[in-house]
Amino acid sequence: MTARRDIEAITERIRQRSKPGRERYLGRIAEASNRTANRAVLSCGNLAHGFAVCSPSEKLALGADKVPNLGIITSYNDMLSAHQPFESFPALIKDAAREAGGIAQVAGGVPAMCDGVTQGQPGMELSLFSRDVIAMAAAIGLSHNMFDAAVYLGVCDKIVPGLVIAALTFGHLPAVFIPAGPMTSGLPNDEKAKVRQLYAEGKAGRAELLEAESKSYHGPGTCTFYGTANSNQMLMEIMGLHTPGASFVNPGTPLREALTREATKRALAITALGNAYTPVGRMIDERSIVNGVVGLHATGGSTNHTIHLIAMAAAAGIAITWQDISDLSEAVPLLARVYPNGLADVNHFHAAGGLGFLIRELLDEGILHEDVQTVWGEGLRPYAVEAKLGADGGVVREASPRTSGDEKVLAPFNKAFQATGGLKVLSGNLGHAVIKTSAVKPERRVIEAPARVFDSQQGLNDAFKAGTLTGDFIAVIRFQGPKANGMPELHKLTTVLGILQDRGQRVALVTDGRMSGASGKVPAAIHVTPEAVEEGPIARIHEGDIIRLDADAGTLEVLVPAGDFALRRTADADLIGNEFGFGRELFAGFRQLVGRADHGASAFGTA
């Protein structure tokens, strides 16, 4: 009962804090719905351009506003495994729309970049900003005002948050998100990680490493570890933007196709032309956002969502903070162990009972808000199910199993892996940071050690190769924040620091950059804000300063007398190398406009 009261209290404080912004937002979408959001306001010339390639019957129907028109926003490309399955989705959606008496048009495409391809490369410096570009690209597609609802085809890291921001910006339109699903299981993630460590130590060659990586990332669908991409899918389902049970069905299967057809028909059923009008801006409220955060904690999800959820909520006029996310973590137990928080992958999680089991467990304990609206209708209880293929080729749903198929992967509430969700906010004289502890052993959650200071992840990797990273230390990697260079993920640090920790050294990381859902066993205080380029305290740390990171107490301190520390000059960094090449020069405006990490690291401002 205490946890339930905590959830209610945090939700209420979010509601009160958000009230002015939320009221302005709801007023805007009401005006859009009442005055401008239909084809009747378009001139004949506007309409002629909008349906020029349609059939005569479709033109007649669209011109008379007789049938719903569904806009498709797609992130398809055929280089990236997660988005390649979307190639066939528009034709499938159009066919399903015709069956339901509607019409569907591809409204626009959005870029989809892969952090796995750009890790450690210059392109990674565009990654976080791609979220806002995706939101703007989707807005361009929807700005034609031809649509009664929209479906969003996206899966991975920045793509789904960007699409959510766009959907909420067009909050007068119903929105259904349609996933493509995870790839089938390949080489286990822990075995892949071992080969990476051997390669970093010079004990395995590039050919062995490439073979291991290729066996792990081997086909269509999302990567199978529980990083940001699969955290996205969990969020879309637990927030009611997917149809029930849709998240983790593999691509290219009859059930995946049936779910896509069903989602299309549902999107058409909830337009203003029917009896179940569900504008997404009203549907997603403070309770929905809190449910998303609860799901993130219960599954040990990606730390990237401590940034994305703030930006997504802001698009709906809702103001959430890192402290809200941290306080919710204290009330939510960890019920899933999926790599890097365990050995299983997301397919094992799904087979053990998946989101249906987890949602039912949390609902039964009052940890989720049940009284929400979803694309499926009223209440979250209909999501406590498992989707299966019916005899007629359609989707049927059964109640989720009462017992977990594997309690080492998915635990019932009374056997939670730990009492809290494992995401905490750290505060102290270095500012604020986020740490994910769900994969960190308890004995490693408090570290006091001298600082080793670097201005790039390459600097630390060079020191590792030179054999100079000896003894216990806390690595400080600074000038990696959004204003400095776009806040790239520093995933290459995971392997090196993991090796040193396995050798018996006590190590940790402090950075104003990002890690990802792939961050694991090494304690990492990330997203430090204010960032170094804004003269944050992290820019005043000297080599050898003693830093204390206490994830249990929620503190991050440099143990230097306050007067002395305040008088230090902030370090300067030569960032000219981050300003040009690989399109980085085109993003100078984003680096100037972007807000702080704890405000969503967005160029669009806050709620």
Side-chain angles (χ1 to χ4, degrees), residues 164-217:
V164 171
I165 291 169
L168 292 169
T169 302
F170 285 77
H172 59 283
L173 294 177
V176 177
F177 281 64
I178 303 179
M183 69 177 68
T184 56
S185 299
L187 182 74
N189 288 290
D190 60 321
E191 293 185 27
K192 172 198 67 184
K194 289 176 184 175
V195 179
R196 285 181 176 178
Q197 290 204 3
L198 290 171
Y199 177 76
E201 293 178 285
K203 297 176 182 178
R206 181 176 172 84
E208 294 167 272
L209 178 63
L210 183 57
E211 181 183 12
E213 299 282 0
S214 299
K215 286 181 177 178
S216 182
Y217 309 119

Side-chain angles (χ1 to χ4, degrees), residues 121 155 163 192 220 225 260 281 370 485-486 518 524 538 552 569 577:
Q121 304 298 321
V155 177
L163 292 175
K192 172 198 67 184
F225 66 87
T260 299
E370 187 168 352
N485 63 351
I538 192 174
D552 294 329
R569 293 187 59 184

Side-chain angles (χ1 to χ4, degrees), residues 25 27 59 100 187 254 264 284 312 337 344 365 382 435 570 586 589:
Y25 171 79
K59 290 178 181 179
L187 182 74
T264 300
I284 296 296
M312 290 156 60
R337 285 283 190 200
E365 297 294 330
I435 188 167
T570 55
L586 302 177

Side-chain angles (χ1 to χ4, degrees), residues 519-536:
S519 60
K521 61 187 181 182
V522 175
I526 59 175
H527 309 170
V528 171
T529 185
E531 62 176 291
V533 80
E534 290 190 302
E535 300 186 345

Side-chain angles (χ1 to χ4, degrees), residues 17-25 28 131-132 165 168-169 306-322 324 482-483 529 593-607:
R17 182 193 308 129
S18 305
K19 190 174 182 180
R22 180 67 174 166
E23 288 178 351
R24 287 193 299 271
Y25 171 79
R28 289 196 301 270
R131 182 194 67 195
D132 293 1
I165 291 169
L168 292 169
T169 302
T306 61
I307 295 174
H308 296 322
L309 276 163
I310 291 173
M312 290 156 60
I318 298 168
I320 63 170
T321 68
W322 277 0
D324 296 329
K483 283 191 178 294
T529 185
L593 288 172
V594 69
R596 289 167 35 153
D598 57 346
H599 294 166
S602 173
F604 303 145
T606 57

Side-chain angles (χ1 to χ4, degrees), residues 3 7 293-295 297-298 328-334 362 367 418-422:
I7 300 290
V293 178
V294 169
H297 292 320
L328 285 166
S329 181
E330 294 299 306
V332 180
L334 180 69
L362 294 172
I367 305 299
Q418 62 184 45
T420 67

